Amino acid sequence: MGRYVIRRLLQMIPVFIGTTFLIFFMVHALGDPVNALFGDKAPDPAVAAQIRAQYNLNDPLWLQYVKYMGKLFTGDFGTTFSGDTVTHQLATAYPITLKLTAVAFVIEIVFGIGLGLLSGLRRGRFADNGVLILTLIVISIPTFVTGYVLQYLFGVKWGVFPATVGDNTSLSAFILPGIVLASVSLAYVARLTRTTVAENAKADYVRTAVAKGLPRRRVVVNHLLRNSLIPVVTFLGTDLGALMGGALVTERIFNIHGVGFTLYQGIVRQSSNTVVGFVTILVIVFLLANLLVDLLYAVLDPRIRYA
C-alpha cells in the first residue's frame, strides 16, 4: 500500500503541472489584464508599462508560468492589482467555503446514501417510486431557483434558518446554503446508491449470507451496502472538489464571501493571479480526493489489493 501511495503521488506531479499550465494559459488568453483594469478609459502608457513590468506581463507566457511556479513552491501566490496578496485572499475565503462544503458533503452522504439504500431495498414499491420522483424533481430544478425558494421559505417567511450568512460563521448559518449546494449531488448519490444496492441484492454472496442466518442488519451493512458503495465513493471523491468550485451560485444567493464569490470577482476584474491561485488549490483538492477514493476502495472491498 505504501508503494502504491508513493506511485500515485509521483503521478500527480505531471498532472498538477499540466493542469496548472493549462489554467494559466487560458486565464491569460482572456485578454490584456492591464486594459481591463482601466475599463473604458485608455491607460497612461507609463503607468501601463510599469504595471506590466511589475507583474512580468512583458515576458513570454511560458516564462511567466515558470516564474509563477517558482514563487508558488515558496507559498507566494502573487499579488492582485489592488495590492492585496492572493495568499491573504485564500486564507480569508477558503475557510468559509470549506465549512460550507463540509456541511453540504455531510448532508449529501447521509441523506443521499440513506435514501438510495431505502429505495434499493424497496425496489418497485411506494418508497422507491417516491425517491425516484423526488430526486428527478431536484435534478430538474436549477440551483438558483432552489436556493431562492428555500431562502424565502425557511429564511424569510418561517425564520427557521438565517436568510443570509454575511459575517455569521456559525454552523447553523451554513445549514440552509449547505442543503442548496448539496441538493443536486444528493439526488445523484441517491439514484446511484439505489441502482447498485438493487443490483447487488440479487448477488450470490447476499443470498449466502441470508441462508447462513445472519441478521438482516448485518447482511445489509456489512455485505450489501459495503460492496455497493464503491461507485458511490468514486462519485463523492470527484464531487468534493466540484462542491468547492461550484459554490458560486449558492454563495451569491446567501451572501457568502467564499471561494466562488472571490473567483467571480477575479474573473470580472481579470485578476489573473487570483483566478490561477484559487483554481490551483482546487486542482490540489481534486488530486487528493481522487487519491483518498482509491485508498477507500481497499477498505470497502478486501478483494482489491495494490501491488
Side-chain angles (χ1 to χ4, degrees):
M1 182 68 73
R3 287 184 296 177
Y4 171 77
V5 174
I6 295 175
R7 187 168 67 248
R8 284 301 309 271
L9 290 174
L10 293 176
Q11 291 174 352
M12 289 181 182
I13 296 176
V15 175
F16 175 75
I17 294 176
T19 306
T20 52
F21 178 76
L22 183 62
I23 295 168
F24 194 87
F25 174 79
M26 289 189 296
V27 169
H28 285 76
L30 293 176
D32 189 355
V34 177
N35 292 332
L37 178 64
F38 288 90
D40 296 333
K41 300 180 180 179
D44 181 81
V47 176
Q50 181 181 0
I51 295 175
R52 289 191 174 93
Q54 179 181 355
Y55 292 94
N56 303 316
L57 297 177
N58 294 322
D59 297 331
L61 187 59
W62 67 268
L63 184 57
Q64 294 182 41
Y65 176 75
V66 171
K67 291 182 178 180
Y68 172 78
M69 293 299 292
K71 295 180 180 180
L72 181 64
F73 288 113
T74 63
D76 183 6
F77 286 83
T79 307
T80 64
F81 292 130
S82 61
D84 190 15
T85 61
V86 179
T87 305
H88 177 262
Q89 291 183 332
L90 291 169
T92 303
Y94 260 96
I96 298 175
T97 299
L98 283 174
K99 183 178 289 188
L100 173 62
T101 303
V103 173
F105 199 61
V106 171
I107 293 174
E108 177 182 346
I109 292 176
V110 174
F111 290 96
I113 295 179
L115 290 175
L117 180 61
L118 174 65
S119 180
L121 293 176
R122 301 179 180 274
R123 185 173 184 178
R125 300 181 184 179
F126 177 78
D128 180 29
N129 295 328
V131 170
L132 291 177
I133 294 174
L134 178 62
T135 53
L136 183 60
I137 293 174
V138 172
I139 294 172
S140 303
I141 300 177
T143 303
F144 67 89
V145 175
T146 304
Y148 281 121
V149 170
L150 294 183
Q151 182 187 46
Y152 172 74
L153 293 178
F154 292 95
V156 178
K157 187 175 182 179
W158 298 330
V160 179
F161 301 107
T164 59
V165 175
D167 297 329
N168 185 7
T169 58
S170 62
L171 184 62
S172 60
F174 287 93
I175 293 179
L176 188 57
I179 294 174
V180 175
L181 181 60
S183 58
V184 176
S185 299
L186 186 154
Y188 282 119
V189 170
R191 296 176 75 91
L192 182 59
T193 305
R194 180 253 182 195
T195 301
T196 55
V197 167
E199 290 179 355
N200 290 330
K202 304 175 182 179
D204 293 336
Y205 66 88
V206 175
R207 289 197 293 265
T208 302
V210 173
K212 291 171 62 177
L214 296 178
R216 177 177 173 80
R217 180 178 179 182
R218 186 176 177 183
V219 173
V220 172
V221 176
N222 292 359
H223 297 276
L224 178 58
L225 182 60
R226 186 173 180 177
N227 288 280
S228 302
L229 284 181
I230 292 180
V232 179
V233 167
T234 304
F235 176 83
L236 290 174
T238 57
D239 191 56
L240 180 61
L243 288 176
M244 296 185 63
L248 174 60
V249 175
T250 305
E251 291 184 359
R252 295 281 291 179
I253 294 174
F254 293 95
N255 191 28
I256 303 174
H257 293 178
V259 172
F261 178 83
T262 309
L263 268 177
Y264 172 78
Q265 296 294 328
I267 294 173
V268 171
R269 299 170 183 173
Q270 290 196 14
S271 178
S272 56
N273 286 340
T274 299
V275 177
V276 174
F278 274 75
V279 178
T280 298
I281 299 298
L282 289 177
V283 170
I284 296 176
V285 171
F286 269 106
L287 293 176
L288 294 179
N290 286 330
L291 175 62
L292 181 61
V293 166
D294 289 341
L295 297 179
L296 286 177
Y297 285 161
V299 177
L300 294 173
D301 192 346
R303 295 171 297 180
I304 299 178
R305 292 293 181 267
Y306 298 114

